[in-house]
Amino acid sequence: MASSSLSSSFRRLVVLQLAAAAAATLILTLGGVAQAQLQYDYYNSTCPGVEDLVRNALLAKFADDMTLPASLLRLHFHDCFAAGCDATIMLRSRNGTAQRDADPNATVRGYEAIEEVKATVEEQCPLTVSCADIMAMAARDAVNYTKGPAYQVETGRRDGNVSRKEDAVRSLPPADGNVTVLTQYFAAQNLSMKDMTVLSAAHTIGVAHCSSFSQRLYNYTGAGDQDPSLDTEYANNLTAVCGPSRMVSVQPLDPVSLNTFDTGYFQSVYSHRALLASDAALLNDSFTAPYVTLMATNDSYAPTFFHDFSVSMVKMGRIAVRTGNDGEIRATCAIYVD
């Protein structure tokens, strides 16, 4: 997209509005848990080169499966939001009561890839590197592999050993939530409205099943109607693929650039071609719309988005982590807990 000029007053509006939104959640942030005792290069002495080991193990997998990067990014997000970044989404339940059994996690994948990378790490550094840290590294490597930023990951997390379905049901943001709803979910994790806006752009890679947005196509208000905000041509393309009997089909979350981590997501939202209602909602809010517009209409702001995304990912990676003597380092990530 060719760059277009935006006035300095508009740019200031973006900064001021997002700052005001962040201030609105300041009390929640200050009242939350203390910043986790994570650090960069935590494994320098106990497992030197582990980040390269994880990255190299993933590169071959990414080359074989271009859908895997988006899956691992989503896996990390769903783990962190449910009960903290402690790899409890990896745990299994014979009774169907674990996080991975919850409806919001029904289409989550990437478990096997994390388990295989963990096995590789165990060969070099037994019972040293947590599954939670491997998941955080994998999310970063997934972003970078798809041409996104190569931000540095804090490590030192330990793994949790309790996984509850209700945590995922309660804490994961809904795909049809508006900005008010989404802000509440993110604020509960000590993340600001800007974090919410930026992290939503993880949808610049990956796909969604038709069932997750079919209401926008066939029953938007409960009267068998279509979401009028959808671009007409885009809506017609979606209905051609996502017929009532084809809800298991998938569509790119970002039709501009499916497998490339870039500002295509914002261009999709700005042009009313956002797949999920939660993404489309960002264009309808006075706080989030200026950021979307800026990133969608001015290519020179891509580095700003990359910086903002990196900062927000580091913040997300601190959610309710276990460190020190809290939690465990297990040899296998996907053990059964009942």
Side-chain angles (χ1 to χ4, degrees), residues 17-325:
Q17 287 186 327
L18 288 173
T25 59
L26 181 59
I27 294 177
L28 282 172
T29 302
L30 292 177
V33 296
Q35 180 174 330
Q37 295 175 356
L38 301 178
Q39 63 187 66
Y40 296 113
D41 301 320
Y42 178 82
Y43 296 107
N44 267 5
S45 60
T46 57
C47 190
V50 65
E51 294 198 32
D52 289 336
L53 183 64
V54 170
R55 183 179 299 108
N56 291 334
L58 287 171
L59 287 178
K61 297 182 182 300
F62 292 159
D64 289 337
D65 182 1
M66 276 302 297
T67 69
L68 185 58
S71 297
L72 294 183
L73 181 55
R74 186 183 184 211
L75 183 66
H76 180 50
F77 177 91
H78 278 231
D79 180 56
C80 290
F81 263 65
C85 307
D86 61 357
T88 48
I89 194 173
M90 294 292 299
L91 295 172
R92 295 177 177 273
S93 167
R94 294 181 177 85
N95 298 319
T97 59
Q99 288 177 34
R100 63 195 293 172
D101 301 310
D103 286 345
N105 289 328
T107 58
V108 170
R109 53 186 292 269
Y111 301 105
E112 294 80 7
I114 294 296
E115 196 68 85
E116 290 169 10
V117 172
K118 171 64 170 174
T120 299
V121 173
E122 282 296 303
E123 291 178 3
Q124 179 167 312
C125 308
L127 296 177
T128 302
V129 182
S130 68
C131 299
D133 277 342
I134 290 174
M135 292 173 68
M137 296 176 204
R140 184 269 313 280
D141 295 339
V143 169
N144 186 230
Y145 181 80
T146 51
K147 303 187 185 306
Y151 57 91
Q152 194 172 1
V153 170
E154 294 177 331
T155 46
R157 299 169 188 80
R158 290 171 67 85
D159 300 325
N161 54 19
V162 176
S163 187
R164 295 180 292 259
K165 179 193 292 188
E166 56 267 27
D167 288 336
V169 173
R170 180 183 65 250
S171 301
L172 288 168
D176 59 354
N178 59 29
V179 169
T180 299
V181 170
L182 295 176
T183 300
Q184 292 171 347
Y185 276 86
F186 277 75
Q189 308 292 355
N190 296 315
L191 295 172
S192 70
M193 182 177 278
K194 182 175 182 180
D195 294 321
M196 181 268 291
T197 306
V198 170
L199 291 173
S200 294
H203 288 166
T204 190
I205 56 175
V207 298
H209 287 79
C210 294
S211 56
S212 63
F213 56 88
S214 61
Q215 184 175 355
R216 300 186 71 199
L217 299 177
Y218 302 112
N219 198 28
Y220 184 60
T221 65
D225 54 342
Q226 190 173 94
D227 184 349
S229 72
L230 275 169
D231 173 81
T232 302
E233 180 183 7
Y234 182 56
N236 290 338
N237 292 339
L238 291 178
T239 54
V241 175
C242 297
S245 63
R246 298 199 297 271
M247 289 294 106
V248 295
S249 299
V250 296
Q251 282 290 285
L253 285 161
D254 170 13
V256 173
S257 50
L258 169 60
N259 293 318
T260 303
F261 195 98
D262 56 16
T263 56
Y265 166 83
F266 295 109
Q267 295 170 30
S268 298
V269 174
Y270 183 71
S271 61
H272 299 279
R273 292 181 171 229
L275 197 61
L276 303 181
S278 58
D279 292 329
L282 298 181
L283 194 60
N284 302 322
D285 182 86
S286 61
F287 288 116
T288 58
Y291 190 92
V292 171
T293 303
L294 188 65
M295 297 302 160
T297 59
N298 196 317
D299 288 339
S300 66
Y301 278 87
T304 299
F305 163 54
F306 276 21
H307 170 268
D308 292 345
F309 187 83
S310 300
V311 170
S312 294
M313 281 296 289
V314 171
K315 289 177 64 178
M316 188 188 79
R318 297 170 180 162
I319 296 176
V321 297
R322 301 173 184 275
T323 60
N325 295 322

